[in-house]
Amino acid sequence: MEKSKNKGRWKLLAVILVCASPIILSYLTYYVIKPQSRTNYGAFIDPRDHPIPALGTTTLDGKPIALDAYKGKWIMLQVDGGECPAVCEKKLHDIRQLRLAQGKEMERIERVWLITDNKPLDTILIREFDGTNMLRAKADVVRGWLPVEEGTTISDHIFMIDPLGNLMMRFPKDADPNKIKKDVTKLLKASSIG
């Protein structure tokens, strides 16, 4: 009788250990081992710290339009002046290709270029990047809104806005399009909205 009681206790203890082991292992992993690697390339931004302000955005022909017009879609955002030097053109090219690379999911993404001056755009540039929403915005408001890495400017980055209208990610200066593609693919896969 005593032998079967001890056997029953050992079985109960084994069941408790099996059930508790995932909790113990996760605690050890998070608080003791502290994994350092991250899987995202872009830097996450807390949208509470950077709510989208009234940017005073207009279309190229002067009609007012807010970024809210694209709510419900993911927005790949870049900022630059109207002259659009080679690095600006490369970012326009990259965001176009990144959208196309999403295949059937590409309709979930809008491309927006915030132009922070009144310089006229080259007609060839407008045609080449047809489909990119080119909006003029107040430079000082845009600068006050978008966070940048130390030693960079807002025109060095590509930003992501989620379908709810929250600024949520910034890609580094001279970003690798292949690494951005992985992040965008993960975002689209993980999100059921947009």
Side-chain angles (χ1 to χ4, degrees), residues 82 120-127:
L121 299 185
D122 186 343
T123 310
I124 294 169
L125 188 73
I126 294 171
R127 282 195 195 126

Side-chain angles (χ1 to χ4, degrees), residues 10-167:
W10 281 112
K11 283 182 181 179
L12 178 62
L13 185 60
V15 168
I16 291 171
L17 279 173
V18 167
C19 293
S21 63
I23 297 167
I24 294 167
L25 287 173
S26 66
Y27 178 85
L28 287 172
T29 302
Y30 189 79
Y31 291 105
V32 179
I33 299 171
K34 293 187 180 177
Q36 297 297 316
S37 67
R38 63 179 205 195
T39 59
N40 56 297
Y41 177 61
F44 282 111
I45 296 169
D46 187 340
R48 295 170 297 183
D49 295 337
H50 304 281
I52 299 176
L55 297 168
T57 46
T58 62
T59 59
L60 294 180
D61 57 359
K63 293 178 185 157
I65 185 170
L67 285 180
D68 278 354
Y70 310 109
K71 227 174 188 176
K73 298 218 176 182
W74 291 89
I75 299 173
M76 295 191 79
L77 179 79
Q78 81 168 65
V79 180
D80 224 303
E83 284 185 8
C84 196
V87 290
C88 167
E89 280 192 49
K90 182 186 181 315
K91 283 189 299 173
L92 285 170
H93 175 267
D94 287 348
I95 64 175
R96 180 184 64 198
Q97 296 308 111
L98 285 162
R99 180 178 178 271
L100 289 171
Q102 298 308 315
K104 65 182 180 183
E105 299 291 322
M106 74 180 184
E107 295 304 320
R108 296 173 65 191
I109 300 171
E110 286 290 341
R111 298 168 288 147
V112 176
W113 173 19
L114 292 181
I115 304 158
T116 54
D117 58 29
N118 289 318
K119 293 186 177 164
L121 299 185
D122 186 343
T123 310
I124 294 169
L125 188 73
I126 294 171
R127 282 195 195 126
E128 184 177 351
F129 297 106
D130 184 40
T132 299
N133 299 287
M134 300 176 185
L135 309 176
R136 296 202 184 269
K138 297 175 183 172
D140 53 335
V141 179
V142 175
R143 271 193 302 274
W145 167 45
L146 294 171
V148 297
E149 292 175 347
E150 192 174 323
T152 65
T153 65
I154 53 174
S155 60
D156 292 329
H157 301 284
I158 294 172
F159 298 88
M160 287 293 292
I161 298 174
D162 72 19
L164 300 175
N166 299 307
L167 177 66

